[in-house]
Amino acid sequence: MTENDFVPAAYTHSIQEGFVTWKAPSNIALIKYWGKTGTQIPANPSISFTLDGCATTTTLKYRKMSLPNEAFSFEIWFEGSLKNAFKPKIETFFKRIETYLPFLKDYHITIETSNTFPHSSGIASSASGMAALALCLLDLEKQLYPAMDPLFFYKKASFIARLGSGSASRSIEGALVLWGAHQETRGSSDLYAIKYPYQVHKVFEDYNDTILLVEEGEKQVSSSVGHDLMQGHPYADRRFAQAHENISKLKDVFASGDLTEFIAIVESEALTLHAMMMTSRPYYLLMKPNTLSIIDTIWEFRRKSKTHVCFTLDAGANVHLLYPESEKEEVIQFIKDELVVYCENGHYICDGIGLGAQKM
Ligand code: DP6
């Protein structure tokens, strides 16, 4: 498919006003998206676990104007307060998607959004937030064109979410999702994410993710800046090739349930992501001393306990602990005994693999 396939033909129905609510989950990348070109085209393919508890709920209210607006007419409310600070980001998003959702200027739109996780937690809400908004917009489009194919609905929701935030493309469906063209993965595309199309061992069906909140609050360097720094980065080409290779290697791991190899790939991806930050110009560090203490403690515990707990990182200091359901009791005890001390205010969030967004 090409971008043109997402430009709609004429709508068949007319809608005056109404509202729709969608809840979309966050996701945690196993193979990291880091670097992009053009309009949100990833420099390499990525794979993520869709989460369950960490999510954004968004209600879109729409009222048709008697004449189409010159500009986008919208307001955004976050957890009950009007948030004009979010408007520029949404304005940029609307400009990018207008060709694909040409009804936008016909309506006055009110966006009401809230997260299940605390805003202060340092968990990025762009993936779940943009996914929930994209689904609400697609829902309105489906009312204007009820013949829309259900499979196309999810594909286009991911396409639209991607234009808001790359990782948001992976927050529409569950449980294991791939975004970005990968030669050995059928159906993969740079334009939208797909459900992982090959065999997945049952050990991964109920995998756990406990997020250790090392540093609450906003991170200092945004992901957008980080992606940009991959342009002209001395190791970029090798890194992009490595992501492709790691996705190929994961195919066997997902099929066999080989957790030792899973751990080796996932932890390497996390450290490589941060290595890219440390070796860009300007260079920077998002890990904190407690991030490193947690990693050391996990490695020590894994040696002693023979469990399969491992870590991954997103673009921040927090640590995601990944482990199979069969080891949950032992790992939760380990977190309480040895890791809570490294969490800001002792905070951590227990989550697990989820099945994707839901209409409310
Ligand atoms: C480190 O999706 O937040 O979490 O496309 O600029 O919105 P934009 O970036 P974003 O980047 C996520 C980067 C990451 C890795 C990942 O989720 O794959």
Side-chain angles (χ1 to χ4, degrees):
M1 286 181 92
T2 70
E3 267 117 339
N4 281 340
D5 296 316
F6 295 98
V7 178
Y11 295 132
T12 51
H13 287 55
S14 162
I15 299 289
Q16 285 309 311
E17 63 182 313
F19 71 93
V20 62
T21 302
W22 278 83
K23 182 176 181 180
S26 186
N27 70 75
I28 180 66
L30 306 171
I31 305 296
K32 307 293 181 181
Y33 149 53
W34 200 241
K36 58 178 163 180
T37 56
T39 315
Q40 296 286 100
I41 297 300
N44 63 261
S46 56
I47 292 193
S48 53
F49 275 152
T50 305
L51 295 183
D52 186 34
C54 291
T56 299
T57 303
T58 297
T59 296
L60 188 84
K61 297 179 176 161
Y62 39 89
R63 180 169 40 81
K64 193 153 184 186
M65 318 287 281
S66 40
L67 289 173
N69 302 309
E70 289 282 305
F72 299 111
S73 172
F74 68 101
E75 56 198 78
I76 173 152
W77 296 73
F78 177 68
E79 292 176 358
S81 319
L82 194 60
K83 273 280 186 265
N84 288 330
F86 292 176
K87 282 192 94 171
K89 194 168 181 189
I90 301 295
E91 178 90 27
T92 306
F93 176 51
F94 282 174
K95 280 189 192 140
R96 272 191 205 154
I97 62 176
E98 196 187 359
T99 315
Y100 309 106
L101 298 174
F103 61 80
L104 278 173
K105 283 187 179 154
D106 298 345
Y107 290 90
H108 175 73
I109 288 172
T110 304
I111 302 162
E112 292 173 5
T113 186
S114 62
N115 296 330
T116 56
F117 46 89
H119 187 54
S120 63
S121 64
I123 297 180
S125 59
S126 68
S128 53
M130 286 298 180
L133 181 54
L135 283 158
C136 288
L137 293 168
L138 252 284
D139 201 302
L140 173 52
E141 179 163 72
K142 190 165 166 53
Q143 294 176 51
L144 298 167
Y145 183 67
M148 188 189 295
D149 174 69
L151 290 178
F152 181 78
F153 175 92
Y154 284 103
K155 207 170 256 186
K156 184 163 176 181
S158 174
F159 172 88
I160 295 291
R162 179 198 110 240
L163 292 170
S165 177
S167 54
S169 67
R170 302 188 312 242
S171 270
I172 306 290
E173 295 185 278
L176 196 55
V177 176
L178 182 143
W179 167 46
H182 179 247
Q183 211 174 8
E184 291 166 31
T185 307
R186 65 166 179 261
S188 60
S189 168
D190 284 342
L191 300 180
Y192 48 83
I194 57 167
K195 277 188 184 195
Y196 188 70
Y198 301 117
Q199 195 193 343
V200 180
H201 191 276
K202 65 177 177 355
V203 73
F204 296 113
E205 280 171 11
D206 46 10
Y207 233 68
N208 291 283
D209 179 4
T210 298
I211 308 161
L212 305 173
L213 303 176
V214 170
E215 188 187 41
E216 300 188 308
E218 295 279 307
K219 55 182 180 259
Q220 293 136 359
V221 183
S222 79
S223 292
S224 312
V225 173
H227 287 296
D228 286 349
L229 291 174
M230 287 304 280
Q231 277 170 26
H233 190 294
Y235 306 135
D237 289 344
R238 188 65 203 91
R239 158 59 199 155
F240 300 146
Q242 180 198 40
H244 283 265
E245 291 154 17
N246 280 342
I247 289 181
S248 299
K249 287 184 191 160
L250 270 183
K251 190 173 172 187
D252 291 337
V253 169
F254 285 138
S256 67
D258 177 351
L259 294 184
T260 305
E261 185 60 13
F262 176 76
I263 292 169
I265 294 170
V266 167
E267 291 190 345
S268 162
E269 277 288 318
L271 294 178
T272 302
L273 168 70
H274 284 258
M276 290 301 112
M277 301 173 193
M278 288 188 245
T279 49
S280 59
R281 294 296 285 269
Y283 43 81
Y284 62 107
L285 268 172
L286 294 181
M287 290 190 281
K288 295 287 171 194
N290 280 353
T291 312
L292 298 180
S293 298
I294 289 171
I295 292 174
D296 257 346
T297 311
I298 293 169
W299 284 341
E300 180 62 27
F301 175 77
R302 201 164 66 216
R303 260 195 304 274
K304 284 189 316 215
S305 67
K306 306 275 185 282
T307 56
H308 299 89
V309 57
C310 75
F311 71 86
T312 189
L313 307 166
D314 55 20
N318 295 339
V319 180
H320 289 248
L321 270 192
L322 303 176
Y323 50 96
E325 180 67 16
S326 60
E327 298 174 0
K328 189 170 186 172
E329 214 176 307
E330 208 174 338
V331 174
I332 294 284
Q333 197 56 51
F334 161 59
I335 293 170
K336 288 182 182 156
D337 293 344
E338 297 188 52
L339 298 181
V340 168
V341 291
Y342 301 118
C343 298
E344 198 168 341
N345 305 311
H347 287 167
Y348 61 93
I349 295 175
C350 289
D351 205 348
I353 210 163
L355 296 177
Q358 277 180 311
K359 185 168 178 169
M360 305 305 278

